[in-house]
Amino acid sequence: MTEETRIGTDDGAGRAFAKLLLSRASAEDMAGYDDMMLRKAAALAQDMVLRHRKGESLISIVTDSGVTRADRPVCVVTVVNDNMPFLFDSVMGEIAEGGTEPFFVTHPVMVVSHAEDGANVIAGDSVQPQGDRLSVIQVHVPPMTREEADALRTRLERVLTHVRNAVQDWKPMLARLEHTISDYRYLPVPLDKGAVTEAIAFLEWLRDNNFTFLGMRSYRTVGEGEATELERTDQRGLGILSDPDLRVLRGRTQTSITTPEILEFLNGPEPLIVAKANARSLVHRRTYLDYVGVKTFDAEGKLSGELRIVGLFTSTAYTRSVLNIPYLRSKAETVIAKSGFDKSDHSGKALINVLESYPRDELFQIGAKLLGKHAMAVLALGERPRVRVLVRVDQFDRYVSVIVFVPRDRYDSRVRQEIGDHLKTIFQGRVSAYYPSFPEGSLARVHFIIGRSGGKTPAIPAQEIENAIRDIIRTWDDALREAVTDAGEDPALADKAQLFPEAYRTSFAPREAIADARRVAGLSKQSPIAIDFYRRSGQ
């Protein structure tokens, strides 16, 4: 069936609009619709485009659209907006947030002419006439109630506000960053010169398309020493931080700006700090925002405040060598230098490989001292693979990062879930995220993020956690061998017990299997039958 017949036979502007709308839909998505349903869906989008005024964001969620897919009704979500970066990813991220799987997705960018009463389509995005570029997103999802539709509309409005603020304030954010870089370059900053040089290089690296800037806010210091507090300056917050109610770090109270950790940073020797924010990004990618805090100084070199930056590291931050990224390279060089290894020898190359493959978000946040300890622990696993746990408590006490290594042949979804359940119990939190990885060798790696809601994070020895994980991954055969050894029995009994079927293993403990294996071993032609009567306590 050709495209001409798929969009129906209507004449005029409606038919032309339908062609533009469906030009970005996949054949697989359209396969479940007949021509009339596609025309109905296109008419809903066309009505919104005709009503769009420049600078507006229009959202339509039609629960009784009359559009059906394979004879089943669908809810039609249409979003019309001045075209700008991040729109499609951000809208789709919000729709998918509740676990909704779309049936149909199309996103043409149309060239329109705007008038006071709305817009007229000039052409699709394959042609570049003079006019305004308009993003038209239409998504078909399973039916929803009016309450669910209203809630989705409210969330989409917030998403579009974040996108518009971030895009419109992109250049002002870069200008404010350039001003801070210039201050570090020319003011008498009273910090280690090497650290200042690295800070300048890192901020320039962020600026050079390695960071998606979403928000920026300036603070000034009030008081000195332990009495230091931060308050907002008169400068307008930029991007998503133009919203005065949006907080990215948890303070002492809901209204507090200064945390003990920020205070420690302000009074410490480092020019900047990198961490994860409390808030998830509504723009581009649904992940926790990356936060960069930069100390600011006055003309006399006195600490004057903080420039707070939030956004997302781009893909280069995760793919480029750790030795080529400012701020990370200084940590890596410190770890390598303290190890005493030569970069060109076997151990040095192995250590560099550990650093390159270390979870990159962790590298940005972990201190060089703890990184060195963890890197050497991972390096040792190459010589003797075993269960290993690497724990880092977030500097703002909001979560615990736990990197777990277990034998690959023991790892599955059950093991991952049981380990996560154990970690959230002992750290009195919740599993916010987990990231499995399967590097070369015999070990699997899972990076758990255990979110916490408040209070001091419990201090749990790594050895204690490792012992618990060994119990989780221990198989019935492992327990059988241990039981044979502990009882001083003939190892041949374990060989016999290992032949027992799966139904037996799920019903009987290894120590019981030893007794049954002993009875089996006693069978012969002269004594071919053995009977055992028992009753477990409580039965």
Side-chain angles (χ1 to χ4, degrees):
M1 186 175 289
T2 66
E3 182 188 64
E4 295 294 322
T5 58
R6 285 301 294 161
I7 61 174
T9 58
D10 292 349
D11 293 328
R15 184 173 180 278
F17 183 88
K19 284 186 66 174
L20 290 178
L21 182 74
L22 299 176
S23 66
R24 291 299 184 184
S26 71
E28 180 182 359
D29 282 5
M30 291 194 293
Y33 299 83
D34 62 29
D35 298 335
M36 182 180 294
M37 295 301 106
L38 292 173
R39 289 199 299 273
K40 280 188 176 183
L44 292 172
Q46 184 180 21
D47 178 65
M48 292 186 65
V49 170
L50 293 175
R51 292 188 289 109
H52 182 266
R53 292 176 175 82
K54 198 167 185 178
E56 283 185 332
S57 297
L58 299 183
I59 301 170
S60 168
I61 303 177
V62 185
T63 58
D64 54 350
S65 64
V67 178
T68 61
R69 173 183 179 272
D71 296 326
R72 293 178 178 272
V74 300
C75 178
V76 178
V77 181
T78 310
V79 179
V80 178
N81 202 87
D82 298 324
N83 190 48
M84 59 184 66
F86 313 130
L87 274 174
F88 182 70
D89 291 346
S90 304
V91 168
M92 293 305 297
E94 186 57 57
I95 291 174
E97 184 72 8
T100 301
E101 182 178 354
F103 299 130
F104 172 96
V105 178
T106 186
H107 178 219
V109 176
M110 300 181 181
V111 182
V112 303
S113 60
H114 276 101
E116 287 186 7
D117 58 346
N120 289 309
V121 177
I122 300 174
D125 57 356
S126 59
V127 184
Q128 299 296 328
Q130 293 297 317
D132 302 321
R133 294 171 65 79
L134 194 68
S135 163
V136 181
I137 302 171
Q138 189 173 93
V139 184
H140 300 178
V141 298
M144 60 177 65
T145 65
R146 172 49 54 192
E147 292 74 17
E148 291 171 334
D150 289 343
L152 176 58
R153 184 195 309 277
T154 300
R155 298 198 307 271
L156 286 174
E157 288 172 350
R158 185 165 182 252
V159 167
L160 295 178
T161 298
H162 276 224
V163 171
R164 186 176 295 276
N165 288 343
V167 172
Q168 288 182 342
D169 283 347
W170 177 62
K171 287 187 177 179
M173 284 190 279
L174 290 183
R176 196 172 293 184
L177 179 68
E178 286 288 359
H179 180 78
T180 301
I181 292 173
S182 179
D183 284 348
Y184 266 75
R185 185 172 279 120
Y186 300 113
L187 293 182
V189 177
L191 300 174
D192 176 78
K193 296 301 181 184
V196 170
T197 300
E198 190 73 351
I200 292 172
F202 180 62
L203 296 177
E204 290 177 333
W205 180 82
L206 293 180
R207 176 201 63 195
D208 295 338
N209 300 318
N210 294 301
F211 191 80
T212 301
F213 291 89
L214 298 181
M216 198 173 285
R217 192 182 283 157
S218 296
Y219 295 89
R220 59 171 165 258
T221 55
V222 178
E224 294 183 355
E226 293 185 0
T228 302
E229 290 284 341
L230 287 176
E231 64 179 24
R232 294 174 186 171
T233 68
D234 295 332
Q235 283 185 303
R236 180 177 70 89
L238 300 176
I240 65 174
L241 293 185
S242 61
D243 177 359
D245 296 325
L246 181 60
R247 300 187 181 280
V248 296
L249 296 175
R250 187 174 68 213
R252 298 185 185 95
T253 67
Q254 285 295 100
T255 59
S256 176
I257 291 174
T258 312
T259 71
E261 294 76 18
I262 283 291
L263 181 59
E264 181 181 351
F265 159 64
L266 291 174
N267 291 320
E270 298 297 329
L272 55 85
I273 184 174
V274 179
K276 285 290 183 182
N278 280 353
R280 284 182 180 270
S281 172
L282 299 181
V283 182
H284 190 33
R285 297 198 311 267
R286 284 305 171 102
T287 185
Y288 282 100
L289 289 160
D290 293 300
Y291 151 71
V292 180
V294 188
K295 291 179 182 177
T296 56
F297 299 86
D298 60 20
E300 284 71 44
K302 182 181 178 182
L303 179 70
S304 61
E306 178 201 356
L307 177 64
R308 193 164 289 182
I309 304 167
V310 294
L312 300 169
F313 286 109
T314 63
S315 59
T316 54
Y318 299 93
T319 58
R320 190 171 296 175
S321 170
V322 66
L323 298 176
N324 293 328
I325 298 177
Y327 187 70
L328 295 189
R329 67 190 177 194
S330 59
K331 294 183 184 181
E333 293 288 358
T334 298
V335 170
I336 295 169
K338 289 190 175 181
S339 73
F341 297 149
D342 189 302
K343 289 183 182 179
S344 60
D345 66 21
H346 173 76
S347 296
K349 291 178 179 178
L351 179 57
I352 291 173
N353 183 61
V354 167
L355 296 171
E356 296 283 12
S357 59
Y358 204 81
R360 192 56 61 95
D361 280 334
E362 275 296 284
L363 281 180
F364 278 108
Q365 299 172 67
I366 194 171
K369 182 177 180 180
L370 184 58
L371 174 60
K373 178 182 176 182
H374 284 184
M376 296 306 291
V378 176
L379 187 64
L381 294 177
E383 300 174 354
R384 188 167 74 85
R386 56 197 180 279
V387 171
R388 182 60 76 229
V389 171
L390 309 176
V391 178
R392 180 184 67 85
V393 177
D394 167 57
Q395 51 210 357
F396 297 99
D397 229 5
R398 301 162 303 168
Y399 63 85
V400 186
S401 166
V402 187
I403 301 175
V404 177
F405 291 88
V406 296
R408 187 182 300 216
D409 60 357
R410 303 293 177 87
Y411 177 80
D412 56 24
S413 58
R414 178 197 64 80
V415 165
R416 187 264 306 156
Q417 182 171 347
E418 289 191 17
I419 293 174
D421 288 344
H422 178 72
L423 294 176
K424 75 179 184 182
T425 299
I426 62 174
F427 287 114
Q428 301 170 16
R430 61 195 177 278
V431 179
S432 297
Y434 60 87
Y435 308 100
S437 177
F438 303 93
E440 292 183 11
S442 61
L443 295 176
R445 183 185 79 191
V446 192
H447 182 196
F448 290 93
I449 302 296
I450 307 300
R452 303 191 69 258
S453 298
K456 187 68 176 173
T457 301
I460 312 295
Q463 183 67 50
E464 182 179 319
I465 303 174
E466 290 170 0
N467 290 338
I469 291 176
R470 288 190 189 96
D471 288 338
I472 290 172
I473 67 171
R474 188 172 62 164
T475 65
W476 193 86
D477 287 339
D478 292 334
L480 176 67
R481 285 190 291 270
E482 290 178 10
V484 168
T485 301
D486 292 344
E489 296 281 0
D490 184 350
L493 291 181
D495 296 335
K496 289 188 181 297
Q498 285 175 334
L499 300 176
F500 293 163
E502 188 63 30
Y504 178 95
R505 293 167 177 243
T506 58
S507 302
F508 296 93
R511 57 182 178 76
E512 296 172 306
I514 295 173
D516 289 339
R518 192 184 304 110
R519 293 187 181 93
V520 172
L523 296 177
S524 65
K525 288 183 179 180
Q526 293 74 31
S527 180
I529 297 175
I531 299 176
D532 180 33
F533 293 94
Y534 67 92
R535 183 176 68 186
R536 290 173 174 168
S537 77
Q539 291 185 338

